[in-house]
Amino acid sequence: MINRHAFFNLKFLKRRLYIICSFAILFAAGILMPKHAYAQEDTTYDEIIATLSIQNIGSAEIPAIILKEKAYLPIRDLFDFLKIKSTISPGTDIISGFFINPAAPYVINRMKNTILYNNILLLLNKNDIIFAENDFYLNTDYFGKIFGIPCEFNFRSLTIKLTTNIELPVMREQQQNTMRQNLTSLKGNIKADTIIKKHFSMFHLGTLDWDIASLQANNFKNNRLSMGLGGIIAGGEASVFVNYNSSIPFALSNQFYLWKYVNNDARAIKQVSAGRITTASTVSLLAPLNGVQVSNIPTTYKKSFGSYLVSSTTDPDWIVELYVNDVLVNFTKADGAGFFTFEVPLIYGSSKIKYRFYGPWGEEKFSEQSINIPFTFLPENHFEYALSAGVIADKESSKFSRLSLNYGLTKRVTIGSGAEYLSSAPGTKLMPFVNASVRLGASLIFSGEHTYGVVTKANLNYRFPSKLQLDVTFAKYVPGQTVVRLSYLEEKKAVLSMPLYGKHFSGFSRLTLDRVTLPDGKFTSAEFLLGGMVAGISANITTYALIEKMPIIYTKVSTTFRLPKGVRFTPQLQYEYEQKKFSTVRAEIEKRIFRNSFVNFAYEKNIIARSSGCIFGLRHNFSFAQTGFSAKQSRQSTLISETAGGGLFFDNKAGFINANNQKNVGKGGLVILPFLDYNCNGRRDKNEPDVLGLIVRVNGGRIDRDDKQAAIKVSALEAYNKYFVMLDENSFDNPAWKISNKIIEVTAQPNNFMLIEVPVAVVGEVSGYVYLQSGKTKNGLGRIIINIYNDRRQLVGKTLSEFDGYFNFFGLAPGNYTASTDEAQLAKTKFKNESQPWSFKIQSKK
């Protein structure tokens, strides 16, 4: 027999209960009860549970102490959460460790009331440190003053907001977790609960980018303006960029326009582009190509099979992000000379590799740098083609076309062929080619290509067990060919590179040898590079040699120091071996002066040319634009420049408009809007309100949230890439609120914000009692299966009774139900249920 009891819980307010209890403690301790005096300095304080909110991380509950409306946080608890090393001495009088970098140690002594950090000793005021519960509670003011992690305390709400521009280890760990998720998605391992498909749109205008730059130098003045518009036309991405330069006449050849349609689910044609197209080519295309491009190549592949070591340069100390097929897979920091290196995962199919650059003070380089991986591998029996045709915007209006065919012969061998056509080429205008990529074992990769009448190329890559990588490339050009605008007859290049690790050192070394054969001679160049971090100092030493009749050999040394007060100091020296003296000297100092403002000063001197100059720069990042000013004064001239740039993203359907300082054309976005689905029908009806507090994670993009708004905005998504939106239903205070689809797969649409309404089902619970009756005696029965059916006799859930006969089941939508024992189980156990199924109702209370 089943004793029925049903109820519907609407509010379980865990966080609010913490706050209410904390206020109650404050009230009771401060008004109703005598002040409680602790032994330390006879200081009266109150212990509470506060909510710590950290930008881009989330919120957490943390113990805190309130003294005279000032907040104190436990150093070890906070540092453990931020992943900052901290160790307490056996006598519990000293906490020591290092802040992010082992070269930045700190010592906090509560007996002497001092903090030693970066060799600077700070004497604290009385009661700035409180010892309680085996931890040091430090006045929140000092976290900002000393460590650069300001904590803003709100006494009314008992919340502490931590904001900083320092890349804390917990932030780095979170970004690494995101990258691991991206790599997992590249390998196709994530399973979504539901998939949101692309919506067709005939016309939509959604993004705008702009850049303004002005340059003045003596009697010269130049102004430049660039504006980009992004939208959707006939379901495809449409982009237009207009460029104006006051120094040159306005010309159509300097403008850009492209329409692109992508459907990765199609088989024969996955991409169609029209306008200013780009294509890989053997022919040197020195002018824009106006035409059409068709292919069955998808924008992404999910499977990776190895890695490839690449390296390049940017500005010193800049953060570099690595994207493979528009998915962020890694990031690193450039050294003192701007050198950086990556392990690039090799993806089956065409790997589109590019970098993005971010400055140490929040600036972003809008330009992207693409690199070519010399290997193309396809899955076995997979076929790809790409056809491009158009007219080159040169004086001859040359006609150009290229057909490329590739086939995965085996998992380790991919072969290809095709042809290029150029109407203005002298002699043979049709140039057929063949190519192949072969993997020999796990460490050796070979690729080769031959274009008839033009060039033969070969590349070999070998990875030693010690992570030493050898790259050898060879190119031999047909004498007299003119379609490749180089005068080379042969080109040979070898690169030997290896990461370096030590107890107090991490870095990278690279040796490059390059030999070029010209019609009138040969020349050889060599470069040896050694860079890394030593004792917290970023350093780079590069030696370059050009071996000819008059050899040129020099060494360039660049370092970056982090000085107190947030100052970054970058000195550079160059030594000329022929002159037997230093040739150039440069030093730069940069500092943040306000939250979003930065100033830098540089001095450079060319000793051989006997010239010198000073550079002053000022940048400010508004929420809607990045602006900059610089002035360079030398003996010969004065150069002044001003820049500004930003973007706009708007979507009427999603009700969203945003002016920001980033570039938006070609990017996609999401608006995630959770609502209470009272009737659990999966769609939004009238009087179903928004829900605050949902925590969302996305494997890419930039998440913007406002605690006062339910809508969560995700921007800067790469178009056509699949993203996984992960929803945390545990972020709600009420356990009766449930989300059925916790992982949503969505494909980002260019120049468009996609609205995703998330139904939050309001569910109820039923509980009861199963017992065996013998006369007037009732004994509870355990391990009995209880089946629950809806009013359509559909099984919606089942549960087991506990040892004492009681059971409960949580997760029922509002409606009418029946509960009964499982007859098949009772038959096996030789029991019989003589009672009728019990009916109950889950009722919604709005």
Side-chain angles (χ1 to χ4, degrees), residues 548-562:
E548 288 187 351
K549 295 180 181 180
M550 296 290 292
I552 301 173
I553 306 175
Y554 64 85
T555 295
K556 186 176 181 180
V557 181
S558 301
T559 56
T560 299
F561 298 86
R562 291 285 186 175

Side-chain angles (χ1 to χ4, degrees), residues 184-186 188-199 264-265 300 302 670 672 697-699 717 720-727 741-749 754-756 758:
T184 303
S185 66
L186 283 173
N189 295 333
I190 294 181
K191 300 297 182 182
D193 297 323
T194 186
I195 298 175
I196 298 180
K197 295 184 178 180
K198 175 183 176 181
H199 298 287
N264 289 322
D265 297 326
T300 58
K302 293 182 178 180
L670 306 173
I672 303 167
R697 292 184 293 116
V698 183
N699 60 324
L717 298 178
Y720 316 113
N721 190 41
K722 289 183 178 180
Y723 290 91
F724 293 92
V725 180
M726 286 152 278
L727 310 174
N741 297 320
K742 300 179 181 63
I743 300 179
I744 301 173
E745 180 185 307
V746 59
T747 300
Q749 302 303 309
M754 183 182 297
L755 176 63
I756 300 177
V758 178

Side-chain angles (χ1 to χ4, degrees), residues 498-517:
M498 182 177 180
L500 304 173
Y501 303 99
K503 187 176 181 180
H504 303 289
F505 173 81
S506 64
F508 184 83
S509 62
R510 185 183 69 185
L511 175 64
T512 303
L513 300 174
D514 200 343
R515 183 177 180 86
V516 174
T517 302

